[in-house]
Amino acid sequence: LLDFRKVEESKFELKIQQVDIVSLVEDICSRFMPIAQIRNIKFNLQSCSESLEANIDPEAITKIISNMLTNALKYTHEKIEVSISNYDTYFEISIADDGQGVAENDREKIFDTFYQADQSKSGTGIGLPLARLLAEKHEGKLFLKKGTAKGSTFIVSIPFIKLNSETETTTREIITTREIPVEPDSPVKSVSDKTTLSTTKANLLLVEDNEELLAVTASFLQNIYTIHTAENGKKALKILEEENINLIISDLMMPDM
């Protein structure tokens, strides 16, 4: 929400760097693999080439793709297909799911702040609006593809921009893939398993009743913290009694409290 307000009020400035788009998208997708495995969702990434250099704000593009993937995971049934295409003057990243699709009268409304479609699942209603604003900051666009027979295909289109020499010397940086190993059939573990605890990491308690959001958040932070998870307030209190917790991230409204 803070990101959205900052972009909406034009207080957000892009930090342009030279980035390998393929590596960046692979990295983002790898963070969503644990929840995809939990739900038996097939994840397919196709690219026009092994690498694709572009001058972008990597943090902003990461937020765009993450919001698109979060949306796809909420509605897909069996698979998600991510595609990277190069059209000389711009590149596109498309994310397709095989869910129920979006009603015709909701196609543009879903990009309105806090809008919730009739068939929508739990969410904040700011993910897609924020993603579109960040795409527009790049002079690009985010849209829902028309004529999809099944499911939904969201496409972000970003033009290639050139950096002047002065900017290039101060902001040029190549982003490489940060590998996050994910073992098959080994989703993020509940942190009641004390054999996984590391004495070198702080103990973080995540409290969230949305199973998908809990798993994704845990996957983001598991390399930094020893993660403890709770789906309700009662379990969270029990963990607090039994474990030495250093930090808590919690939903405000929780069941069993």
Side-chain angles (χ1 to χ4, degrees):
L1 183 58
L2 291 174
D3 285 335
F4 181 81
R5 291 304 182 199
K6 188 183 293 185
V7 177
E8 189 180 42
E9 295 171 6
S10 300
K11 295 180 180 178
F12 178 85
E13 293 185 3
L14 296 178
K15 296 179 181 178
I16 301 298
Q17 303 172 15
Q18 189 179 60
V19 174
D20 179 2
I21 299 299
V22 177
S23 292
L24 182 64
V25 173
E26 287 176 346
D27 182 29
I28 298 167
C29 288
S30 72
R31 303 178 194 179
F32 287 82
M33 287 299 181
I35 185 59
Q37 289 180 343
I38 290 172
R39 295 184 54 199
N40 293 318
I41 302 298
K42 295 179 181 178
F43 223 99
N44 184 35
L45 171 61
Q46 295 183 331
S47 175
C48 57
S49 58
E50 292 186 0
S51 66
L52 178 62
E53 303 265 329
N55 297 316
I56 59 163
D57 182 326
E59 182 179 350
I61 296 298
T62 296
K63 289 176 180 177
I64 293 172
I65 303 305
S66 294
N67 278 309
M68 293 168 68
L69 284 172
T70 298
N71 189 74
L73 277 168
K74 274 198 291 187
Y75 296 104
T76 196
H77 293 154
E78 296 180 352
K79 64 180 180 179
I80 292 175
E81 295 185 351
V82 182
S83 178
I84 305 170
S85 303
N86 180 0
Y87 294 97
D88 294 332
T89 59
Y90 65 96
F91 68 89
E92 284 187 350
I93 301 168
S94 70
I95 297 179
D97 65 70
D98 64 348
Q100 60 189 351
V102 179
E104 187 65 31
N105 61 333
D106 285 329
R107 294 183 64 87
E108 278 301 313
K109 291 179 181 178
I110 57 175
F111 294 104
D112 293 342
T113 314
F114 304 123
Y115 180 76
Q116 298 281 344
D118 292 338
Q119 73 272 30
S120 67
K121 300 185 180 181
S122 60
T124 61
I126 61 173
L128 289 176
L130 172 61
R132 173 173 273 189
L133 282 175
L134 290 172
E136 291 172 349
K137 278 285 185 179
H138 284 82
E139 298 184 3
K141 55 186 179 180
L142 172 64
F143 58 95
L144 177 60
K145 183 179 179 180
K146 294 182 178 180
T148 305
K150 184 180 180 182
S152 301
T153 300
F154 287 87
I155 299 174
V156 58
S157 175
I158 304 293
F160 290 110
I161 60 173
K162 294 182 179 180
L163 296 178
N164 59 47
S165 57
E166 181 180 352
T167 304
E168 199 167 12
T169 57
T170 57
T171 64
R172 184 183 176 106
E173 180 181 345
I174 303 297
I175 306 296
T176 57
T177 303
R178 177 172 59 84
E179 293 185 358
I180 304 177
V182 179
E183 296 294 332
D185 302 321
S186 61
V188 177
K189 296 180 180 179
S190 176
V191 190
S192 57
D193 183 1
K194 296 183 180 180
T195 61
T196 63
L197 301 185
S198 170
T199 57
T200 62
K201 295 180 182 180
N203 289 322
L204 170 63
L205 173 59
L206 297 176
V207 190
E208 172 59 60
D209 58 338
N210 184 312
E211 181 182 340
E212 297 175 7
L213 180 58
L214 183 64
V216 170
T217 305
S219 71
F220 285 165
L221 300 172
Q222 64 184 350
N223 290 338
I224 305 172
Y225 300 98
T226 295
I227 306 296
H228 299 253
T229 61
E231 298 80 24
N232 56 62
K234 184 181 293 185
K235 184 176 179 181
L237 290 174
K238 184 177 180 181
I239 292 174
L240 286 171
E241 291 175 356
E242 298 176 350
E243 305 289 346
N244 182 22
I245 300 299
N246 304 108
L247 180 65
I248 302 172
I249 299 178
S250 176
D251 192 355
L252 291 177
M253 299 180 65
M254 294 296 302
D256 296 336
M257 282 295 287

